[in-house]
Amino acid sequence: MRVAAAVVVLALLEGCNGGGGSNEGNPSAGGVVLSGAVFNNHTDEDAAGRAVAGATVVLVKAGDVEGTDSISPVEDLANANDFYPATVTGSDGHYQFAQRDFTDAYPANGTYFVFVEPPPELSGDLLPGGTASRASLNLDGATALKQDITLSDTNGSDSAYIGSMFCLFCHSQKNHIKHTLHFVGIRKIGPNGTVVNDAMNMGDTSVYDLSANNDAMLNKFTNPATRYTFANDPATPFWLGKDTSGFYFQLTADTNPKFYLAYSYGGETGKWKGHFMTTVTAGDGRYAPVHGQNGDDYAYYVMSPIQYNEDRNSIYGGEFVTYHAERWDFAGTGNNGFTGDAERTSFDLSCAPCHGATGITTVNAGLATERRAAVFPQNDNGYDFDGVHSEINIGCEKCHGPGYNHFAAGGYGRRIISPEKLSAGRLTMICGTCHIHGENQTDIGGGAPLMAVEGGNYETFRPGMSPGRFFGTWDGTGKTIAPFGIKEMGSLAGNGYLESINFETDTTASWIDMPWGAEVNHSKANQQHYQDVVRSAMYRNDRALLTCASCHDGHGSSHEHMLRYNADTNAACLPCHYGPGRTFPNVDDGMVGRLKQDAATPADKEVIGEDVAAHLFDKTGTLQMGPYDPEGTAMGKCIRCHMPKTAVSADYRNALVTRSGSSYRHGDISSHTFDVMATEAINNMGAARGITNTTPAGITDVCGSCHVFAGLQ
């Protein structure tokens, strides 16, 4: 039974061609067009124990999915259209659609996504969607197609977090998650530098040389302290030092108070940026040696005003720039320390819901000041956090939900979120919870995905929620908020976790380049991957709905950005676009298989290169600027055109051009809308903003890099 469900997942992640399900050319018996069974995810039980009775199975017309603007397309359409073919599973979990169940508007010879709604009595146990909700089925109306469907369990509202090391005890095959940047982003800083615990592994240098790059950043701290100035504010000095108590920074003068580092964040890859975390008392902003209760007050983690840009090709690469310097006393008129609101802007409350471990809750600390405290999930192999070992990095339960009930139920798929069995809207929302820009509606504000609950506390998003629930739309669907600017955001009811930015008006997050002819307003800031993806045609089409998990493996991989396959060789793109009638018609299964294994032959590359060159000529009317070489010159590299780096992480500057002003900049965050940016639109926008350089480059220098290679400047 599970084999049929796996076929659908493979069709989505590898074939991307839709048309899942199976038949053996059998004529339809009694007019049956589609049949199968709906199961829960309890993988240790037989089919009888897994059957889901009373579930509603809905066939959503694939063309409607392609045409909708919903950010939860299949689920929203299934809930909104009472005329779609639908049926209910029997006591054995089986369902079937016969020719009589179809109409002229929704014929038996059509293409459909299959969406399953659990029975009401199991809505607290099972999530809607299922393994057939992201890849369409092609029905011919005369042949019986077989499609079994598996639904994900829920965690249960009473489940608690147990920490990743507990999860990995049973799921040791997922140990490579400890090499991911999610798992090692936050690192404790002791007197001798980074303290690595059992919950992280920095020894794997197959993708990023984590230790070496982190050391390069921390080597800026010296004994005696070294004076620096900010690249974007050369008149403002600060000191970085270390002594027997640890690493520290000082403001204004090296005789002023020392703020010792508790943790570093980032700074590990040589590509983006690094931050430093210290501890201050909320009441007076002075350094606090211990995080947590401090007499009648509370000491919070806050980010230092110092950001280190790793990438030397960025505007301020290899230099320090300010990070919310307005929150610190650089003038020396106060305590030479933190002058902002330490509670509201703390890592604990403002950053940790995304950049820290899952399961963070807030409680009233019960002090005279009524400070709120972030509670991190305990983990015996974590860091000593407030006297309790806690997990503070992103781990297993961030995507799978709290694991206690799963453990108590004996595992095997029970009481745990299985993301691959969710609808596209709910699956993408797991990643989109944090890979998004917006503003929450709590009294602290900011971009952390939080919702206010009773007692002045906050709760964080749990996996499995719909986009409508996350954004708090009036009808509980995602339709009312897409596509982030085209429709009014006033439909939000004020009870969601985040209100998204508006791509039509927000100049800090959007290039607002549609007025100049662009297909979409492209992202300018980092962490907007979700808003890009759900606006793309890859996410709403009639064959297979691309989600984050289609391209990225959250458990880690041997490729950058946790990609399932190598983007430098085009292995990340070709598996969904090859074969007769597709973009690359002469590429076959064998070539793609070898490409995914990094074993493509010279003959393979020749055929692929010819198809890529033909594709480029078909779209642009020009020949490729040089020999096909995606790994070297990047000539013919898919993501170079379809995922230009429009956004920036480390460049603390809002500008179209580089620091010298001589050329257009190249961002460090790839666009995820997958459209090709028209050079005419980009140059028109640049000219309107005073840019006279007309090299086909614009927001990003991606076009210019190929034209320069070909001697066309």
Side-chain angles (χ1 to χ4, degrees):
M1 297 293 183
R2 275 166 266 153
V3 174
V7 169
V8 179
V9 177
L10 289 174
L12 175 67
L13 296 182
E14 300 191 15
C16 299
N17 294 316
S22 62
N23 66 48
E24 299 175 354
N26 297 324
S28 175
V32 174
V33 175
L34 175 66
S35 66
V38 176
F39 301 107
N40 61 40
N41 194 37
H42 301 170
T43 56
D44 64 331
E45 295 182 4
D46 59 21
R50 296 181 55 220
V52 178
T56 301
V57 184
V58 182
L59 301 185
V60 177
K61 189 175 181 180
D64 291 350
V65 173
E66 186 173 29
T68 184
D69 61 0
S70 170
I71 61 170
S72 188
V74 173
E75 183 167 357
D76 279 355
L77 289 169
N79 290 331
N81 191 326
D82 293 331
F83 299 99
Y84 284 142
T87 189
V88 177
T89 58
S91 59
D92 58 357
H94 280 78
Y95 73 91
Q96 70 175 32
F97 289 91
Q99 293 172 350
R100 64 178 177 273
D101 298 315
F102 296 86
T103 64
D104 290 343
Y106 306 108
N109 59 332
T111 303
Y112 297 92
F113 291 89
V114 185
F115 182 84
V116 178
E117 184 71 40
E121 65 271 17
L122 294 180
S123 61
D125 300 315
L126 296 172
L127 287 169
T131 48
S133 64
R134 303 197 308 276
S136 62
L137 302 178
N138 297 317
L139 308 180
D140 64 13
T143 308
L145 190 69
K146 177 73 178 299
Q147 180 64 69
D148 291 339
I149 302 165
T150 304
L151 300 178
S152 171
D153 260 29
T154 66
N155 306 100
S157 60
D158 60 340
S159 191
Y161 292 88
I162 57 179
S164 292
M165 296 308 291
F166 205 105
C167 303
L168 294 174
F169 181 79
C170 291
H171 298 277
S172 59
Q173 75 276 17
K174 304 297 185 183
N175 263 327
H176 44 287
I177 193 176
K178 294 193 289 185
H179 302 305
T180 64
L181 299 186
H182 279 159
F183 219 79
V184 300
I186 302 172
R187 302 181 192 163
K188 187 174 181 63
I189 304 299
N192 298 314
T194 305
V195 179
V196 180
N197 63 20
D198 291 339
M200 58 172 60
N201 186 332
M202 295 166 60
D204 181 2
T205 59
S206 61
V207 180
Y208 302 109
D209 191 350
L210 302 179
S211 299
N213 283 297
N214 198 54
D215 289 344
M217 180 176 72
L218 293 181
N219 285 341
K220 306 292 184 181
F221 295 78
T222 59
N223 186 1
T226 298
R227 181 185 185 275
Y228 293 92
T229 61
F230 294 106
N232 61 330
D233 185 9
T236 301
F238 60 94
W239 279 258
L240 301 182
K242 63 180 179 180
D243 56 26
T244 56
S245 297
F247 290 61
Y248 63 86
F249 64 91
Q250 296 167 290
L251 307 182
T252 310
D254 58 354
T255 56
N256 284 336
K258 298 177 180 178
F259 287 81
Y260 286 91
L261 304 188
Y263 298 97
S264 65
Y265 183 83
E268 62 269 345
T269 67
K271 294 179 177 293
W272 296 295
K273 59 187 178 182
H275 291 292
F276 313 102
M277 201 183 305
T278 188
T279 317
V280 301
T281 304
D284 58 18
R286 297 183 185 276
Y287 173 71
V290 179
H291 174 275
Q293 188 167 348
N294 195 309
D296 288 334
D297 208 338
Y298 199 87
Y300 288 97
Y301 288 121
V302 297
M303 306 308 294
S304 82
I306 303 161
Q307 173 179 305
Y308 177 67
N309 288 354
E310 297 181 82
D311 186 0
R312 293 191 172 276
N313 293 319
S314 68
I315 294 175
Y316 293 130
E319 299 178 277
F320 292 104
V321 296
T322 55
Y323 182 77
H324 289 297
E326 74 280 1
R327 299 174 184 170
W328 292 82
D329 180 22
F330 278 97
T333 58
N335 58 14
N336 297 114
F338 193 81
T339 57
D341 188 325
E343 180 182 48
R344 289 173 181 266
T345 63
S346 66
F347 171 83
D348 312 52
L349 301 180
S350 182
C351 309
C354 277
H355 293 282
T358 187
I360 298 168
T361 58
T362 62
V363 298
N364 192 312
L367 304 171
T369 52
E370 296 185 346
R371 299 293 185 195
R372 286 164 293 195
V375 180
F376 287 71
Q378 295 185 23
N379 189 332
D380 290 341
N381 289 297
Y383 289 124
D384 187 342
F385 194 83
D386 300 343
V388 177
H389 283 281
S390 300
E391 179 171 68
I392 62 171
N393 272 308
I394 298 166
C396 306
E397 292 167 297
K398 194 80 165 185
C399 300
H400 294 280
Y404 179 78
N405 283 351
H406 174 62
F407 167 75
Y412 292 103
R414 292 186 180 88
R415 313 308 282 167
I416 198 73
I417 301 295
S418 298
E420 74 278 7
K421 296 173 177 63
L422 300 177
S423 65
R426 292 176 187 252
L427 172 53
T428 309
M429 194 72 255
I430 293 176
C431 306
T433 306
C434 293
H435 288 263
I436 189 172
H437 265 171
E439 182 84 7
N440 69 50
Q441 300 174 47
T442 70
D443 61 342
I444 68 168
L450 295 169
M451 187 172 72
V453 292
E454 293 181 359
N457 299 328
Y458 309 128
E459 69 176 21
T460 54
F461 167 90
R462 281 196 178 191
M465 285 184 182
S466 69
R469 181 73 182 89
F470 179 75
F471 291 106
T473 55
W474 67 270
D475 60 354
T477 72
K479 186 175 179 60
T480 53
I481 56 171
F484 307 116
I486 302 301
K487 290 196 173 187
E488 292 295 327
M489 297 295 290
S491 58
L492 295 182
N495 61 348
Y497 293 81
L498 202 73
E499 181 170 352
S500 174
I501 57 98
N502 187 318
F503 275 83
E504 288 187 340
T505 60
D506 195 318
T507 58
T508 64
S510 169
W511 284 106
I512 314 181
D513 47 329
M514 284 184 70
W516 309 109
E519 291 184 23
V520 297
N521 288 313
H522 290 88
S523 289
K524 178 189 291 185
N526 64 335
Q527 299 302 343
Q528 295 179 183
H529 312 90
Y530 173 80
Q531 288 136 314
D532 278 2
V533 167
V534 299
R535 290 185 294 149
S536 74
M538 304 277 271
Y539 183 74
R540 288 189 296 269
N541 58 76
D542 62 354
R543 298 205 302 207
L545 309 187
L546 183 89
T547 69
C548 309
S550 302
C551 300
H552 301 275
D553 186 344
H555 299 114
S557 79
S558 58
H559 306 296
E560 280 192 338
H561 313 299
M562 297 190 287
L563 283 168
R564 294 183 179 275
Y565 303 110
N566 192 350
D568 290 337
T569 65
N570 290 335
C573 305
L574 260 68
C576 287
H577 299 279
Y578 78 95
R582 308 299 300 279
T583 306
F584 307 109
N586 298 305
V587 179
D588 61 29
D589 293 344
M591 296 176 193
V592 170
R594 290 186 290 273
L595 190 65
K596 290 193 293 188
Q597 297 297 321
D598 291 324
T601 66
D604 294 340
K605 294 178 181 179
E606 183 177 357
V607 173
I608 294 171
E610 290 174 352
D611 270 9
V612 170
H615 171 61
L616 181 63
F617 183 80
D618 177 59
K619 296 299 182 182
T620 68
T622 61
L623 297 173
Q624 195 165 270
M625 296 299 174
Y628 177 73
D629 185 17
E631 295 178 87
T633 64
M635 199 64 60
K637 185 175 178 179
C638 300
I639 64 171
R640 181 57 71 93
C641 295
H642 287 276
M643 300 184 71
K645 295 182 182 296
T646 67
V648 292
S649 172
D651 288 350
Y652 198 82
R653 174 174 164 142
N654 180 17
L656 278 168
V657 295
T658 59
R659 189 172 6 172
S660 66
S662 61
S663 62
Y664 292 97
R665 72 172 178 182
H666 194 146
D668 57 7
I669 304 293
S670 295
S671 168
H672 280 65
T673 55
F674 307 108
D675 64 310
V676 175
M677 302 174 70
T679 56
E680 294 83 3
I682 296 168
N683 284 324
N684 288 340
M685 185 184 75
R689 299 181 181 184
I691 307 301
T692 58
N693 187 336
T694 57
T695 298
I699 294 171
T700 169
D701 71 356
V702 63
C703 304
S705 60
C706 282
H707 282 255
V708 168
F709 173 83
L712 302 175
Q713 298 190 39

